[in-house]
Amino acid sequence: MVVDSCDRKRIKDVKQEFRKVVEDPKLKGCCFLILANKQDCEGCMEAAEIAQKLNLMALKTHPWHIQASCALTGAGLSEGMDWVSHQLTKGTT
């Protein structure tokens, strides 16, 4: 999931939509990567603030990770994909 770190007005909408996804029984056991995009913009919400606003700390049913990112420069994308890769290969060795 990609979150616009500059859009404070819609973060409640993002939270509601994310909850719908998390509660979908078809996604039981899936891991969730949240990309906190536009970290290059002044005044943006930091990844920790987004995690707090989405109440991610209370999410115990799925592994999750929030990654600060910038789509323009690619910053944070490799780290996020590395986390997903690790989640998918966990326990297979």
Side-chain angles (χ1 to χ4, degrees):
M1 171 180 227
V2 179
V3 176
D4 182 342
S5 299
C6 295
D7 195 349
R8 293 178 184 275
K9 292 179 182 176
R10 292 185 52 206
I11 196 70
K12 287 182 181 179
D13 295 335
V14 172
K15 181 179 180 180
Q16 289 175 345
E17 291 303 315
F18 183 64
R19 286 291 155 212
K20 288 179 189 176
V21 171
V22 167
E23 293 169 1
D24 187 330
K26 295 176 190 167
L27 299 176
K28 183 178 180 180
C30 288
C31 63
F32 291 101
L33 172 63
I34 298 96
L35 294 171
N37 193 31
K38 297 186 181 178
Q39 290 295 302
D40 58 321
C41 296
E42 189 175 323
C44 70
M45 294 178 281
E46 293 184 10
E49 181 180 356
I50 293 171
Q52 186 257 333
K53 290 186 181 290
L54 297 180
N55 200 24
L56 293 177
M57 302 305 179
L59 181 58
K60 306 294 184 196
T61 56
H62 299 272
W64 62 270
H65 177 70
I66 187 161
Q67 178 66 51
S69 63
C70 175
L72 292 177
T73 65
L77 299 180
S78 291
E79 295 86 347
M81 292 299 111
D82 286 346
W83 179 83
V84 170
S85 177
H86 176 73
Q87 292 301 306
L88 295 176
T89 58
K90 225 190 240 188
T92 60
T93 55

